[in-house]
Amino acid sequence: MTKNKNINPTIIVIFGGTGDLAKRKLFPAFQNLYLDRRMSEKFQIIALGRAEKTNEDFRNYVAENLNVFSRKKEIDAETQKFLSHITYHSLDIDKEESYQGLNEKINNFDLAFGERANRLFYLSITPSFISTISSNIKKIGLAANPKQDRIIIEKPFGYDKTSAIALNEMLSQTFKEEQIYRIDHYLGKETVQNILAFRFGNSMFEPLWSRNFIDFVQITVAEEVGVEERGGFYEGVGALKDMIQNHLFQILCMTAMEAPASLAADDIRNRKADVLKSIRRIKPDEVDHYIVRGQYGEGEIKGTPVPGYRQDKGIAPDSNTETYVAMKIYLDNWRWQGIPFYLRSGKRMEEKQSSIIIQFKPVPHSSFSYGKGGMTPNRLIINIQPSMDIKLQFMTKKPGLSMSLRPAEMVFDYFECSTMSPEAYETLLADALAGDPTLFMRWDQVEEAWDAIDTIQQVWKTTAPTNFPNYKAGSWGPEEADELLARQGHKWIPNTQTKQEVLDDTDL
């Protein structure tokens, strides 16, 4: 969350510089940071790849992709200047001598800058290569200065608790904890960050933010897309590890955390770690009671037929990998004891939606009836994407002679304030360049998040689902997910619910 800090001279080394993440997210993010004067004039990006390429060819490749993926698509003189700071270097990840050549290139840039620059290593590669890269970085001494050198690692950080501990121990042989930036791009989204400002910058909401006034909380991250070209990767991951363990748990932390003593990185991350520690661990015989898993079959997305998961490229015809997870969790702490948090995430859903819905308890006594023409629940809806807004739903008197009610909304819309908000990766990379780890995951957070789903993973390894596929592409998931909430008289609430649908909500 660093803003307006002077950025020291920096050399950025991207492992996987020719990959999909680099072309879609990283280079556009660095371009926009440069154009917005968020980067030092003394910087160099070294993109690493196996193939032999000239700097000119690679810069042309980056320019073509900026034209497609950047929010500032025009390749003007300033962007050309940005491109001149990009160097391509062919590197064989497995060979130590390749790192010697990289070291020479970095030292030459230091000489040109007239000082040793900060070094930011971005590992945009599969986790299986992390050990080899980290080992060679240590051998050559590429990241020997803890104050100046940092490494960014994409999710997933491990595949379960055991592998995450092993990976962390391995990285700790080369890097200190303060050098390791574990990135989750959801934490860079404006609306996610704004939860802190909304909660702790307004006296009217914080007193209501507890078990005393809140009935339940729903967190949804739904995607219309399937696995696309990521079938081989997704088969070994699934929705629980791909989304719940990181994205949704991080949103949960921002929603449920206590007020930090300050906005210092460790104060905020301490409070987030407290939330993860407080998640009630699910026992093996309770997994089916609290968790629903699903896999999409054939269906339609916006009227277009789409195949089922098992028909996608790279997917086994009898695959039991889950593409949907819904779960009910409790936080065993003073603020949230007894309040259910419902989390769900899935692919090939009816619409793309990321939101937090907080439903408040009904008034203790009301002269108005509930249902059509009467009371409906007060809700706070925080939309993360594709909409970016905060809605407060409450009741008002309907104009006229009769005493009847109707719902009303107060809306804060981010797009009305700014049509050019920075992308999530811009925010996170700006913080990494400045050495601000606030929005990155600390090791204890990662460990607690894995621990919270460890039992679920173990049970699912030994108990295969017998009903896959169990929801149609283009739906909101399996029926069992609705039953999960219905047991407590609750239901999933779409963030796009119309006022009439609110009015007709008679069963809440």
Side-chain angles (χ1 to χ4, degrees):
M1 295 191 298
T2 300
K3 303 299 177 193
N4 301 319
K5 277 194 175 182
N6 292 325
I7 307 300
N8 294 326
T10 304
I11 296 171
I12 301 154
V13 181
I14 302 177
F15 288 85
T18 59
D20 194 62
L21 178 67
K23 76 177 184 181
R24 289 175 176 269
K25 298 296 183 181
L26 302 186
F27 285 115
F30 284 123
Q31 174 213 14
N32 286 300
L33 290 175
Y34 176 79
L35 295 178
D36 291 342
R37 303 294 185 264
R38 296 287 186 180
M39 295 181 70
S40 168
E41 284 296 324
K42 293 181 177 180
F43 82 94
Q44 191 70 32
I45 299 175
I46 304 175
L48 305 179
R50 280 184 175 273
E52 295 288 343
K53 297 178 185 289
T54 66
N55 288 334
E56 182 179 2
D57 286 344
F58 188 75
R59 289 167 185 169
N60 289 336
Y61 162 81
V62 173
E64 290 173 5
N65 289 310
L66 293 179
N67 241 335
V68 177
F69 301 112
S70 176
R71 63 185 176 91
K72 297 178 181 178
K73 301 181 186 303
E74 184 182 355
I75 307 299
D76 55 13
E78 283 297 296
T79 295
Q80 290 289 355
K81 190 176 178 182
F82 163 75
L83 292 169
S84 70
H85 288 265
I86 298 175
T87 298
Y88 180 81
H89 181 76
S90 178
L91 180 134
D92 187 328
I93 287 176
D94 297 316
K95 294 183 178 179
E96 184 179 331
E97 54 267 29
S98 282
Y99 295 82
Q100 293 284 7
L102 175 62
N103 188 40
E104 290 175 11
K105 187 160 286 189
I106 291 174
N107 290 334
N108 287 336
F109 284 124
D110 284 343
L111 289 173
F113 293 155
E115 60 183 306
R116 187 192 189 279
N118 291 351
R119 299 175 183 182
L120 180 63
F121 298 91
Y122 201 115
L123 271 57
S124 177
I125 43 85
T126 59
S128 59
F129 291 121
I130 292 177
S131 177
T132 300
I133 293 172
S134 175
S135 175
N136 281 302
I137 285 176
K138 181 179 182 180
K139 287 179 183 177
I140 307 303
L142 290 173
N145 190 329
K147 298 294 184 182
Q148 288 188 278
D149 305 331
R150 300 159 200 138
I151 182 171
I152 298 179
I153 298 176
E154 281 280 342
K155 74 171 186 73
F157 192 87
Y159 299 102
D160 53 23
K161 183 179 178 181
T162 300
S163 65
I165 291 173
L167 175 58
N168 192 67
E169 289 176 349
M170 181 273 298
L171 282 172
S172 297
Q173 297 173 14
T174 304
F175 302 95
K176 294 186 177 181
E177 173 61 28
E178 59 266 28
Q179 293 178 273
I180 304 173
Y181 286 58
R182 303 171 187 87
I183 193 169
D184 184 336
H185 74 272
Y186 261 69
L187 294 179
K189 293 182 180 294
E190 283 284 343
T191 36
V192 174
Q193 294 179 68
N194 195 57
I195 297 171
L196 289 179
F198 183 82
R199 286 190 58 196
F200 305 126
N202 298 293
S203 61
M204 69 180 79
F205 294 111
E206 182 55 24
L208 305 178
W209 215 269
S210 74
R211 67 186 188 280
N212 297 321
F213 297 98
I214 291 176
D215 193 11
F216 61 86
V217 178
Q218 292 181 11
I219 299 174
T220 295
V221 177
E223 301 175 283
E224 287 182 351
V225 298
V227 294
E228 308 304 319
E229 300 299 319
R230 300 169 67 235
F233 161 78
Y234 200 85
E235 269 289 79
V237 180
L240 183 67
K241 291 186 281 187
D242 189 43
M243 299 298 292
I244 300 292
Q245 185 270 341
N246 40 74
H247 294 334
L248 276 81
F249 275 3
Q250 288 300 312
I251 297 173
L252 169 70
C253 289
M254 301 289 273
T255 305
M257 64 186 279
E258 296 295 327
S262 74
L263 293 180
D266 274 344
D267 284 341
I268 291 176
R269 298 203 290 181
N270 286 343
R271 299 290 76 79
K272 289 167 68 177
D274 288 343
V275 174
L276 294 168
K277 291 175 183 176
S278 73
I279 295 175
R280 185 182 301 171
R281 278 24 178 188
I282 297 172
K283 298 175 183 178
D285 59 354
E286 297 174 331
V287 169
D288 288 342
H289 181 76
Y290 287 102
I291 315 290
V292 173
R293 53 178 160 170
Q295 184 189 94
Y296 66 83
E298 297 177 355
E300 292 186 356
I301 300 292
K302 298 189 184 315
T304 302
V306 294
Y309 176 74
R310 292 177 176 180
Q311 285 78 53
D312 277 329
K313 183 179 179 180
I315 306 301
D318 58 349
S319 171
N320 281 320
T321 299
E322 79 282 356
T323 62
Y324 176 97
V325 173
M327 63 191 303
K328 177 173 69 174
I329 64 174
Y330 290 96
L331 304 180
D332 288 330
N333 59 31
W334 187 270
R335 181 182 292 268
W336 297 111
Q337 194 69 38
I339 302 303
F341 283 75
Y342 300 112
L343 280 59
R344 64 173 171 173
S345 181
K347 291 189 175 296
R348 288 294 190 208
M349 307 299 285
E350 183 174 313
E351 65 181 30
K352 181 178 181 179
Q353 176 194 132
S354 295
S355 63
I356 305 161
I357 297 178
I358 295 160
Q359 179 153 309
F360 294 95
K361 291 182 176 180
V363 295
H365 170 74
S366 175
S367 301
F368 300 99
S369 62
Y370 275 79
K372 191 169 184 177
M375 296 282 288
T376 57
N378 297 145
R379 293 179 185 134
L380 180 69
I381 300 175
I382 301 173
N383 285 318
I384 299 170
Q385 67 176 20
S387 299
M388 293 173 58
D389 54 42
I390 298 175
K391 299 177 181 178
L392 181 62
Q393 296 179 345
F394 55 95
M395 301 306 301
T396 62
K397 177 186 175 296
K398 185 176 181 180
L401 298 178
S402 63
M403 181 55 76
S404 58
L405 303 180
R406 71 175 184 181
E409 276 187 353
M410 295 178 66
V411 181
F412 167 64
D413 191 331
Y414 279 85
F415 290 116
E416 290 185 1
C417 297
S418 174
T419 58
M420 290 293 286
S421 294
E423 297 283 346
Y425 273 94
E426 293 175 43
T427 300
L428 295 170
L429 290 174
D431 284 0
L433 290 169
D436 182 349
T438 305
L439 296 177
F440 295 84
M441 291 178 287
R442 201 171 59 191
W443 163 240
D444 58 339
Q445 293 175 255
V446 176
E447 185 176 22
E448 291 294 339
W450 279 121
D451 188 70
I453 68 165
D454 189 57
T455 299
I456 304 168
Q457 287 184 280
Q458 298 305 319
V459 170
W460 284 1
K461 282 181 182 178
T462 58
T463 309
T466 58
N467 60 343
F468 278 6
N470 60 351
Y471 71 96
K472 289 184 178 180
S475 70
W476 277 112
E479 294 180 359
E480 292 87 346
D482 296 327
E483 296 167 4
L484 178 69
L485 275 66
R487 291 200 296 264
Q488 288 187 239
H490 300 151
K491 63 186 289 188
W492 295 108
I493 303 163
N495 67 341
T496 54
Q497 195 172 32
T498 66
K499 290 181 181 180
Q500 187 58 51
E501 288 171 331
V502 172
L503 199 58
D504 292 339
D505 244 341
T506 58
D507 56 345
L508 287 178

